Amino acid sequence: MIKVGILGYGNLGRGVEAAIKKNSDMELAAVYTRRDPASLTIKTEGVPVKSTADLDTGKEDIDVLVICGGSATDLPEMTPKYAAMYNVIDSFDTHARVPEHFANVDAASKAAGKVGVISCGWDPGMFSLSRVYASAVLPDGQDYTFWGKGVSQGHSDAVRRIEGVLDCRQYTVPVPAALDSVRNGENPKLTTRQKHTRECFVVAEEGADLARIENEIKTMPNYFADYDTTVNFISAEEMKANHSGLPHGGSVIYSGTTSQGTKHVIEYSLKLDSNPEFTGSVLIACARAAARLNAEGKSGAMTLFDIAPAYLCRQTGEELRAHLL
Amino acid sequence: MIKVGILGYGNLGRGVEAAIKKNSDMELAAVYTRRDPASLTIKTEGVPVKSTADLDTGKEDIDVLVICGGSATDLPEMTPKYAAMYNVIDSFDTHARVPEHFANVDAASKAAGKVGVISCGWDPGMFSLSRVYASAVLPDGQDYTFWGKGVSQGHSDAVRRIEGVLDCRQYTVPVPAALDSVRNGENPKLTTRQKHTRECFVVAEEGADLARIENEIKTMPNYFADYDTTVNFISAEEMKANHSGLPHGGSVIYSGTTSQGTKHVIEYSLKLDSNPEFTGSVLIACARAAARLNAEGKSGAMTLFDIAPAYLCRQTGEELRAHLL
């Protein structure tokens, strides 16, 4: 059994907990929190909730620590810190800071003789794998990534910060015409606006100025100004009834050529009922690989690009070749 | 530069040759043939066509040999034979004989200190990777593979052997209702007939008994009897004009669950203008990995399951993380 610790018990931490239950070779050893452990009740019976102070001793009896924190401030600090003590997994997704984060985790985990797998999830993660395999096979080609239809938590949060907004769920939606053109191998040049639209479902305070809220959303720089955005005001009941899940998904479409006039289109797509449960499932497969690679004497930072797929699987090589090849 | 030898210059050998031209770090060193080398003209200027007798010396100056033979009789003999002399790649696809073939190649290549990558292509190959990644992430799930719409060369050949048939192109076509059900995550039980139909375009001899030919096709055991088959008689001109390519493709669809009522659907699909050129491109990416792994001191048989994706790519780890993560 691979003993897994979870650091952080938000949506993603709970997704990792759900994933562990589906993997017979993994067990949840403990959940670690920065809050008062007594304030937290987890779903897995008989498993302790502990303080990060315990984790900081470096002496916890775990094979892998899955760090479920945010990319903005948590992970850049936490992942290198714990990589110096344990095999670690994270879902770091701030693209511009990957080289720096990778270098920090690499230094810490190499010094400790541990493995640190960063940027696991579906994008970065499974989508990254699709881009890499496609470009390895068809170097003369181009990739496109479409997200959605799904809930963007960052955009939902941004709308919630507007005065008069009680709640919001923001869906990112690919533009069908853009998807069609890419799927047909036309290699179009697409602007931000041509690729995705944004749909907001907003619960406003009673008496709030709806026109002002709609305008503030649609003109918000970075988040909405470059997109065609639709704003729908709904009741709190409707929000709860129809928008309580965190579905997501999308497609990586790669179009390449092997000779004059010979085109190939590769598409990898995901349709996820729960973004955090799927992301947690990818983290857990990576946790298995980290434990195994470390047991073989490997150390240092890695991404999914550096891990042979068999390491992610419970099955033996013989079983994989017999049933999945 | 990675020096590649191609053994066999049929459709697949020419596909590998096309792929090499798209990879700036690879060069075609020689094409080897069992025929008289003087009888063969290849597309790459300045590259020699040699006899397999040269190859048999074990002294050819190549980094990898890509073996483009048939799985029925060629590869079970050729791949272990040349694995004892060179790093080798093949596209062995007789599923039931994979364990035996893997063991034979493993023994030969380990003894020689070489790497042998077997069963490369798209199925087995890229489709196998999709099945493995999906089942690693969602162990509680089920995979479905649909082939087509595309030309099955085996089925086309089977029809050509019928008396009175001059030429045939057989298309395998997935049944839309089955695809829809699987994409909806309904996990249907599907019979062979419910998954695919078969469409034949046949050029018959003048005066041939078309009803007899159609009946012989539709009742042919293993190939057609278990499918709904359509037979269209066409002219030789129409065959040449509309059916001269070897397009193929298909989808691996995996549907899994992470908690009560929470489903996820993963789909990997290919739409290929040329089956042999795409397959050749996968073989060449594997050739790069074999050369690199062997340079690091690795030996023995492998499949794509055993190869970290970064080994398939021209780019460095830094470049991959910067552009494709």
Side-chain angles (χ1 to χ4, degrees), chain A residues 22 128 140 258 277 325, chain B residues 22 128 140 258 271 277 325:
Chain A
K22 293 288 185 184
S128 319
D140 185 1
T258 48
E277 288 190 15
L325 192 68
Chain B
K22 292 288 185 184
S128 318
D140 185 2
T258 48
K271 212 165 56 189
E277 289 190 15
L325 193 67

Side-chain angles (χ1 to χ4, degrees), chain B residues 240-293:
Chain B
K240 200 176 166 198
N242 301 332
H243 304 282
S244 61
L246 292 170
H248 218 316
S251 299
V252 173
I253 308 176
Y254 190 99
S255 155
T257 176
T258 48
S259 65
Q260 183 66 35
T262 306
K263 285 190 308 191
H264 310 282
V265 179
I266 304 174
E267 177 164 354
Y268 179 82
S269 68
L270 296 173
K271 212 165 56 189
L272 312 175
D273 274 1
S274 162
N275 185 351
E277 289 190 15
F278 187 81
T279 302
S281 299
V282 179
L283 291 170
I284 275 306
C286 292
R288 175 183 293 118
R292 286 188 183 170
L293 287 161

